[in-house]
Amino acid sequence: THTMAIFRHGIRSLLPETVELVSGPGCPVCVTAMEEIDRAVKLAQLPGVIIATFGDMIRVPGSESSLQQEQAKGADIRMVYSTFDALKFASENQDNEVVFLGIGFETTAPTVAAAIKTAHENKQSNFSVLSAHKLLPPAMDALLSSGDLGVDGFICPGHVTTIIGTSSYEKVADEYHKPCVVVGFEPLDILQGIHMLVEQREEGRAEVQIQYTRGVNPEGNPGALKI
């Protein structure tokens, strides 16, 4: 989301040559492995199975097929806007198994967990989730432990941090001495976040700061974390 905003608003053109923005793999689609698509395709091929998924996953190719191709062959694949849409399909199609393709980072995981909890409470036995969720902090740790990346600081995602809080970034600051700033998604948010990172770098600090104070608390969302 930051990358899209940076391109849309021409933020790179506003920065001096000494500041370079490097985009990592950020969207849930681009971090979904091919084998996870293959699993969804195999499930779609089973009789009596309805696959429910967000629209941007339908065209993503697996090793031999995609959900869109399976849909063209007659598989029952439904596009949904939320996990609870999939749960509704399960209520309306009791003779079928509805499988929701759960993708995303910590932002979407609580909503999926809430749907599973609701299905359990309602004794709804024909709803299940194929989870392909990813965690952000281990990915950052893997990058940093792989060697010198030439990265001086991190723009951390506002939406993920709304859920998990800032404690996960403390290791990045303390052990790797890399500044982290949790940043919102408006142009001014991003520019201010970059400014905060540059200030830390110039002053020799490596701290976790929140630029996106209107959306993020240091402790995150306890309710979402619990579920």
Side-chain angles (χ1 to χ4, degrees):
T1 312
H2 283 131
T3 295
M4 289 174 63
I6 287 163
F7 274 104
R8 185 182 299 120
H9 300 288
I11 287 174
R12 280 188 171 87
S13 66
L14 303 175
L15 301 177
E17 292 181 1
T18 50
V19 177
E20 180 185 1
L21 301 180
V22 181
S23 295
C27 76
V29 174
C30 66
V31 299
T32 299
M34 188 177 289
E35 67 182 69
E36 291 166 336
I37 301 298
D38 288 343
R39 290 192 184 108
V41 165
K42 289 292 185 185
L43 287 170
Q45 293 169 346
L46 296 175
V49 171
I50 298 172
I51 298 291
T53 181
F54 298 132
D56 49 6
M57 292 301 297
I58 290 178
R59 290 179 292 177
V60 180
S63 59
E64 296 179 1
S65 184
S66 68
L67 292 174
Q68 186 178 49
Q69 287 173 289
E70 295 306 312
Q71 190 177 43
K73 295 175 187 176
D76 195 344
I77 295 165
R78 315 277 183 95
M79 188 179 78
V80 296
Y81 294 100
S82 78
T83 318
F84 281 87
D85 288 343
L87 196 56
K88 183 181 177 185
F89 284 146
S91 298
E92 296 169 348
N93 296 271
Q94 296 287 341
D95 295 332
N96 299 91
E97 176 75 12
V98 175
V99 180
F100 176 72
L101 179 53
I103 65 161
F105 291 92
E106 293 92 338
T107 318
T108 57
T111 63
V112 175
I116 293 170
K117 186 171 183 286
T118 301
H120 177 69
E121 290 169 350
N122 295 340
K123 295 182 171 56
Q124 189 134 4
S125 59
N126 67 324
F127 174 76
S128 55
V129 173
L130 177 63
S131 177
H133 290 92
K134 304 292 184 293
L135 298 175
L136 178 69
M140 292 178 71
D141 191 46
L143 281 171
L144 288 162
S145 62
S146 65
D148 185 13
L149 293 177
V151 172
D152 297 310
F154 285 93
I155 295 175
C156 297
H159 41 24
V160 167
T161 314
T162 299
I163 303 297
I164 67 173
T166 56
S167 61
S168 296
Y169 308 128
E170 297 293 342
K171 180 180 179 180
V172 177
D174 295 342
E175 293 188 19
Y176 297 103
H177 204 67
K178 302 290 185 183
C180 295
V181 177
V182 180
V183 179
F185 303 101
E186 297 301 320
L188 237 100
D189 291 328
I190 295 168
L191 288 170
Q192 186 181 15
I194 293 168
H195 183 258
M196 292 166 73
L197 283 169
V198 170
E199 275 191 329
Q200 284 201 53
R201 182 69 178 172
E202 287 183 342
E203 295 170 7
R205 295 183 290 119
E207 302 170 3
V208 180
Q209 293 180 298
I210 302 174
Q211 179 278 330
Y212 192 40
T213 53
R214 65 187 185 278
V216 172
N217 295 313
E219 66 273 16
N221 185 322
L225 289 170
K226 183 178 178 180
I227 194 170

